[in-house]
Amino acid sequence: MKNDQRLFFRIDVMMPCSYRIIPQEDLEKVVLPDNPDSKYIEEYFMQNLTQLDEQINEVIGQINQKSSLLASALMAMNSKINFMMQTIDASQLTRAIPQRLVNLSGGGISFNINEPVNLTDKVDLLIQPLENESPILVRCDVIQASPVVDDEECFNVSLSYQNLSEDDRRKLVFFIQSKEIEAARQQRDENAPGL
């Protein structure tokens, strides 16, 4: 166990969180900059959407072999979504990061994914703890990856941040503290005697 694991409070919370698993053999090809700017983050996020679009087109091609009518309908819907995505600016795009239940601390994060991950892999994480601040893009070490008991296709991963900037760590700690204060107020209000 690392000495810094208990330096930060942990909290279960829904937050914008996207990830990309980087296999060990691809680490030299995929290098994150020390201080990614918003343009880099946007391109990084768009790369995920481009890969997803390629997967969708491949599946539509397979469907077309069975039903050209269904494939035409899916292609039309995909074209409409692509058109709408082209009209979204960078600030709106960060709002499109999927919401995910995470166990968050200033030193690491844990959440469920639907794909296996190896301890030798790295995970690039895109999270946005504070709504009016730029998102955080950080590479993470995989500390633990275990199957979820009641879902064979789901895995719980525990990640530790690599080289997280002090500014980004402050964002995380501020977010965690504000959520703890919010939960304490809610509990106090629930336990207050009625008038």
Side-chain angles (χ1 to χ4, degrees), residues 106-184:
I109 189 169
S110 176
F111 54 88
N112 291 346
I113 61 173
N114 291 328
E115 55 190 306
V117 62
N118 297 313
L119 294 178
T120 56
D121 295 340
K122 302 297 179 194
V123 176
D124 288 347
L125 192 64
L126 181 64
I127 54 178
Q128 186 162 18
L130 302 174
E131 190 175 322
N132 297 325
E133 297 281 339
S134 60
I136 298 169
L137 178 61
V138 64
R139 179 153 293 165
C140 301
D141 295 317
V142 179
I143 303 302
Q144 183 179 4
S146 55
V148 174
V149 175
D150 53 347
D151 187 349
E152 294 175 3
E153 296 181 10
C154 190
F155 296 85
N156 182 268
V157 294
S158 297
L159 308 173
S160 165
Y161 312 123
Q162 279 186 358
N163 304 320
L164 187 67
S165 74
E166 282 307 310
D167 186 47
D168 287 342
R169 193 173 314 276
R170 271 190 230 104
K171 288 178 192 177
L172 289 173
V173 171
F174 179 80
F175 174 76
I176 292 166
Q177 289 173 342
S178 66
K179 289 295 182 183
E180 288 174 335
I181 291 169
E182 183 182 310

Side-chain angles (χ1 to χ4, degrees), residues 1-187:
M1 180 186 332
K2 290 186 177 179
N3 292 336
D4 63 346
Q5 272 188 320
R6 297 290 174 216
L7 291 178
F8 302 102
F9 289 106
R10 301 192 75 81
I11 188 167
D12 290 325
V13 65
M14 290 293 291
M15 70 179 299
C17 174
S18 184
Y19 68 90
R20 181 182 306 153
I21 297 171
I22 310 296
Q24 185 178 21
E25 59 270 12
D26 293 342
L27 285 175
E28 290 183 13
K29 294 183 231 168
V30 184
V31 179
L32 292 182
D34 290 335
N35 295 311
D37 59 11
S38 59
K39 183 178 184 317
Y40 180 88
I41 290 173
E42 179 184 349
E43 288 172 359
Y44 176 92
F45 189 65
M46 288 303 292
Q47 186 177 3
N48 278 350
L49 291 176
T50 303
Q51 290 171 347
L52 183 59
D53 194 46
E54 289 171 4
Q55 291 172 351
I56 289 169
N57 287 331
E58 184 179 317
V59 171
I60 290 173
Q62 293 171 359
I63 290 171
N64 191 33
Q65 295 173 0
K66 302 267 185 189
S67 170
S68 60
L69 182 62
L70 180 58
S72 296
L74 291 173
M75 284 189 331
M77 288 178 11
N78 193 37
S79 295
K80 183 176 181 180
I81 291 169
N82 286 339
F83 174 76
M84 290 170 55
M85 289 303 294
Q86 291 169 358
T87 64
I88 295 176
D89 68 15
S91 65
Q92 293 170 317
L93 191 60
T94 58
R95 291 189 201 117
I97 301 171
Q99 292 282 326
R100 182 181 309 277
L101 178 62
V102 301
N103 180 267
L104 181 69
S105 83
I109 189 169
S110 176
F111 54 88
N112 291 346
I113 61 173
N114 291 328
E115 55 190 306
V117 62
N118 297 313
L119 294 178
T120 56
D121 295 340
K122 302 297 179 194
V123 176
D124 288 347
L125 192 64
L126 181 64
I127 54 178
Q128 186 162 18
L130 302 174
E131 190 175 322
N132 297 325
E133 297 281 339
S134 60
I136 298 169
L137 178 61
V138 64
R139 179 153 293 165
C140 301
D141 295 317
V142 179
I143 303 302
Q144 183 179 4
S146 55
V148 174
V149 175
D150 53 347
D151 187 349
E152 294 175 3
E153 296 181 10
C154 190
F155 296 85
N156 182 268
V157 294
S158 297
L159 308 173
S160 165
Y161 312 123
Q162 279 186 358
N163 304 320
L164 187 67
S165 74
E166 282 307 310
D167 186 47
D168 287 342
R169 193 173 314 276
R170 271 190 230 104
K171 288 178 192 177
L172 289 173
V173 171
F174 179 80
F175 174 76
I176 292 166
Q177 289 173 342
S178 66
K179 289 295 182 183
E180 288 174 335
I181 291 169
E182 183 182 310
R185 283 185 185 145
Q186 187 176 17
Q187 186 175 13

